[in-house]
Amino acid sequence: MSSTSHEIFPPELEELIFSLAFHNNRKDVMNLILVAKRVHEWLIPEVYKVTMFYSGEGDVGRLKPSSKNLVHYGQHVRHLMLSTRWGPEKTGLDNLPSECLSFCPNVVDIALWLVDPSSSRQLIDQLLNLPNLTRLSLNLRSFDAPLANDPSSRELPHPFSTVTHLDILGITAVYTTRQIQQLFPSLTHIAFNRYGVQNSAIEDVLNAWNSQLKVVVWHHGTSTQPWPEVLPTSEYTQVDDPRLVIMRYSRGYIEGWYHEAIGRRGLWTMAEEAVKSRRQATTPDRVLVG
C-alpha cells in the first residue's frame, strides 16, 4: 500500500470544529486553547464572550479568569457578570467593577451584583459610556448615593437610553416608577422581585412606557427547577394585562442569567414565550410553562 500524506483541514473548517467543541463542553476550554496558537486565537473571543466573576457556585461551565485579563481581552466581552459578594480569591475580581467596565467597551449585557456601592458614581459614568449596552441587571440600592441621596448627582449627562431590558434586584422604594422611566426611557422589558414593587404599583409600571413595554416580570420566590417558572397571574394580582408575567427565579439565579447569555431559555426568553402564549390564548392565564 502506497503511503499518502495526511489530509489537512481548511482553516475555516478547523476553526468551526474547535468552536463547536468549545460550545459542546465549555469546561474543557483550557485543554482546547492549548492545542495550538491558532486555536488559542480562534477561541479567545468565544471564551470571553460571556465572562463571569462570581464564586463559581452552580454548573455553568466557564473559564475562571482574573479580571486583570480584561486589559487584553475585554474587547471580546459581550455578556459580563460582576459579583462582589465573595472576595477576589473566589471570584477572580481583582479590579474595581468600574475598571472592569472600562476594559469592555463592546459589552451588551451586564449583571452588576454588588455589595459595596462605594464606587457607584464611577460605575454610572462607565455604564453611560457603553454605546451597545442593552441589558442590565442590578440592585438599584447600589446607586442610592449618587442618584437618590445626593441631589447634586441627580442630573446625568443623559439617561441610559440604550437599555431595553432591565432586571432590578432588591428594594426599589427610593425610586418612583417615573424616576425609573426617566433613567431608562427605552425599556421594552423590565423585571422586579416581590419586595421591589408593590401590587398597587404594577399598573403604574405597565402604563409608564405605554405600548413600548412588552414584558413585565414580577418575581415571587425561587423555583426548585434549574429554570424560571411561570405562575398563574390571577393568583397574585387582579391586574389583567398579558404583558405581566409572574415568575419564580430559577433554582440558581446565576444559571438563569448564564443560560440567557449563551442563547438558551432564561428569564427573558421564558417571559416572552408566556406573553406570546397569553396573547394567543382565550384566557390570560393559559401560558406555556417550560
Side-chain angles (χ1 to χ4, degrees), residues 10-290:
E12 296 82 2
L13 180 56
E14 190 177 21
E15 181 178 357
L16 176 60
I17 291 171
F18 278 102
S19 178
L20 291 174
F22 165 68
H23 288 289
N24 185 59
N25 183 8
R26 293 169 182 261
K27 294 182 178 180
D28 201 33
V29 61
M30 289 305 299
N31 291 330
L32 290 174
I33 63 177
L34 293 176
V35 168
K37 181 179 179 180
R38 67 185 184 281
V39 178
H40 181 275
E41 293 175 350
W42 289 334
L43 290 186
I44 281 296
E46 293 293 324
V47 169
Y48 280 91
K49 183 177 181 179
V50 180
T51 300
M52 305 168 68
F53 298 100
Y54 76 111
S55 70
E57 296 174 354
D59 184 18
V60 291
R62 66 179 184 104
L63 178 68
K64 296 183 179 180
S66 163
S67 60
K68 295 177 182 179
N69 294 348
L70 296 179
V71 175
H72 304 290
Y73 304 123
Q75 72 271 21
H76 302 305
V77 177
R78 298 297 182 271
H79 306 266
L80 178 64
M81 176 190 292
L82 301 174
S83 174
T84 58
R85 182 177 178 182
W86 302 272
E89 67 281 356
K90 289 187 177 182
T91 64
L93 193 57
D94 297 309
N95 298 79
L96 291 174
S98 57
E99 291 180 307
C100 294
L101 295 185
S102 71
F103 301 146
C104 304
N106 301 311
V107 69
V108 300
D109 179 10
I110 297 176
L112 289 175
W113 299 342
L114 310 179
V115 175
D116 179 12
S118 59
S119 60
S120 54
R121 181 70 244 187
Q122 290 82 1
L123 274 172
I124 291 173
D125 292 339
Q126 291 295 341
L127 289 170
L128 289 170
N129 287 325
L130 293 171
N132 303 312
L133 181 63
T134 58
R135 299 191 176 193
L136 183 60
S137 174
L138 79 166
N139 188 333
L140 283 180
R141 293 184 66 183
S142 297
F143 293 169
D144 280 357
L147 290 185
N149 299 331
D150 181 2
S152 65
S153 299
R154 278 184 174 275
E155 294 298 325
L156 299 177
H158 54 82
F160 299 95
S161 57
T162 61
V163 175
T164 59
H165 294 59
L166 179 65
D167 182 13
I168 302 176
L169 309 177
I171 299 172
T172 62
V174 294
Y175 298 92
T176 65
T177 300
R178 177 62 177 167
Q179 288 172 321
I180 295 174
Q181 183 191 26
Q182 290 174 336
L183 290 171
F184 302 96
S186 303
L187 290 188
T188 59
H189 296 60
I190 189 169
F192 299 92
N193 64 37
R194 60 180 172 176
Y195 305 109
V197 63
Q198 299 300 314
N199 198 321
S200 59
I202 287 295
E203 288 189 273
D204 290 339
V205 174
L206 287 163
N207 295 330
W209 291 263
N210 299 314
S211 60
Q212 173 183 301
L213 198 62
K214 306 301 182 184
V215 174
V216 175
V217 174
W218 196 14
H219 284 295
H220 279 256
T222 303
S223 173
T224 59
Q225 304 299 321
W227 51 79
E229 180 182 0
V230 178
L231 304 173
T233 304
S234 59
E235 292 185 9
Y236 297 87
T237 179
Q238 297 302 310
V239 176
D240 185 12
D241 190 310
R243 297 174 297 168
L244 177 60
V245 183
I246 311 295
M247 301 181 74
R248 289 196 179 107
Y249 288 111
S250 57
R251 180 176 59 202
Y253 191 68
I254 289 172
E255 285 90 336
W257 183 90
Y258 174 74
H259 288 159
E260 188 76 29
I262 63 174
R264 298 178 185 171
R265 296 177 76 224
L267 165 65
W268 300 122
T269 302
M270 293 193 66
E272 288 168 352
E273 291 173 356
V275 172
K276 181 179 179 180
S277 178
R278 287 176 174 178
R279 290 191 182 280
Q280 296 174 342
T282 58
T283 60
D285 289 335
R286 184 181 167 192
V287 300
L288 293 177
V289 179

